[in-house]
Amino acid sequence: MTASTSPPEQSSSAGIGRVLVVVYAILALAATGRSFYQIVSEFDEAPVAYSLSALAAVVYILATIALVAPGETWRRVALATIGFELVGVLVVGTMSLVVPELFAHASVWSWFGAGYLFIPLVLPVLGLLYLRRRRPVVTAQRPSERVTGA
Amino acid sequence: MIDALTIVQVAVAIIAGLLCLVLGLAGRKPSDLTLGATALVEVLLIVQLVVSIVSPAVGNDPTGDALEFGLYLGSAILLPVGAGFWALIDRSKWATVILGVANLAIAVMVYRMHQIWFVQGG
């Protein structure tokens, strides 16, 4: 935390970004593995929840790639996918409580990601905060607000 | 799967994870200690792989689904390799933090594998 040992803000935020990427990669791996298993062996039990599981897995993979890849386009892809995750975990989390017969099957987003230590709920928020920081070159030229477009 | 071995394995992964996390946040670059702890976690996973292949042959079958178990084990084995390579390339304190995150993730996955093997089914 102290300024003496660690280099300035920017590299520290880049470092946190690296950790974020790794956590995303692990979650993508977990979501892909689980949805693969669910679709192969018990798809009939809850087709809606398991299809969502697969969709979530794809989005996590895409978000991981978008966080790593440089450039404004990828940053937007990252914003879109991470925003989608946040909406997904909120909607599916709520639905799994309200309409349990449809959604109360283990998926990354059921019960707000409780089966994954709530990481799916916390991660998109951290991701969006990180992306706001990373907001690049464009801002250096024009300090006007570009934050709202999320 | 052997109950005691698995419990030891979860404990080792948690200790290794916390160690790497603390040392990483304290500013340490990946060292023999943190990489060694991660390697130990990986070796135990390989042992677990051998045990879980041999177990059914001697009448110790999983109560849960073998495919699900295998997916967890396969993913877990990949994590230290990935995080380890990362640590060799990116020699910063964040690589140590990443080793910690990977080890803790493995602890959770092994715990889940334990549930699949012993608690599920019926």
Side-chain angles (χ1 to χ4, degrees):
Chain A
M1 289 297 140
T2 47
S4 55
T5 47
S6 48
E9 179 108 348
Q10 206 163 21
S11 103
S12 153
S13 112
I16 292 167
R18 272 176 265 166
V19 177
L20 197 66
V21 167
V22 169
V23 177
Y24 259 102
I26 293 176
L27 200 61
L29 186 69
T32 310
R34 175 171 261 190
S35 87
F36 172 78
Y37 170 72
Q38 287 172 333
I39 287 173
V40 168
S41 61
E42 47 187 28
F43 188 71
D44 297 338
E45 283 178 29
V48 181
Y50 294 161
S51 304
L52 268 169
S53 247
L55 178 65
V58 173
V59 172
Y60 279 117
I61 294 172
L62 207 58
T64 310
I65 297 170
L67 278 173
V68 180
E72 177 61 15
T73 313
W74 279 111
R75 202 184 66 90
R76 290 208 180 138
V77 173
L79 268 180
T81 47
I82 294 174
F84 180 81
E85 283 164 25
L86 187 58
V87 174
V89 75
L90 291 177
V91 171
V92 174
T94 311
M95 299 273 264
S96 66
L97 294 177
V98 179
V99 214
E101 59 280 10
L102 258 189
F103 284 96
H105 275 261
S107 83
V108 232
W109 288 336
S110 302
W111 305 289
F112 301 103
Y116 290 80
L117 307 172
F118 292 106
I119 291 171
L121 183 60
V122 179
L123 206 56
V125 178
L126 293 179
L128 290 175
L129 287 173
Y130 168 68
L131 283 175
R132 259 191 68 180
R133 274 228 202 146
R134 201 179 106 182
R135 184 170 30 115
V137 214
V138 195
T139 347
Q141 299 161 343
R142 291 192 47 173
S144 61
E145 285 300 304
R146 294 192 79 249
V147 197
T148 43
Chain B
M1 201 175 204
I2 301 166
D3 198 19
L5 170 71
T6 309
I7 290 166
V8 169
Q9 190 177 13
V10 172
V12 169
I14 290 175
I15 292 166
L18 292 177
L19 178 79
C20 295
L21 214 57
V22 168
L23 287 180
L25 291 174
R28 303 287 188 81
K29 296 179 168 63
S31 62
D32 287 353
L33 175 64
T34 46
L35 278 171
T38 309
L40 176 64
V41 170
E42 175 76 353
V43 167
L44 286 174
L45 284 171
I46 304 287
V47 170
Q48 191 65 258
L49 176 67
V50 174
V51 167
S52 61
I53 289 171
V54 173
S55 284
V58 294
N60 173 7
D61 281 308
T63 60
D65 193 294
L67 172 63
E68 191 180 14
F69 181 89
L71 282 171
Y72 269 100
L73 184 53
S75 315
I77 287 176
L78 291 178
L79 285 182
V81 178
F85 268 116
W86 185 306
L88 292 176
I89 295 165
D90 167 27
R91 302 203 62 84
S92 76
K93 68 178 217 176
W94 294 108
T96 314
V97 174
I98 285 162
L99 288 175
V101 171
N103 284 326
L104 290 178
I106 289 166
V108 174
M109 293 166 84
V110 174
Y111 172 70
R112 180 80 191 115
M113 281 154 54
H114 182 269
Q115 283 184 325
I116 293 170
W117 194 285
F118 290 109
V119 188
Q120 259 176 13

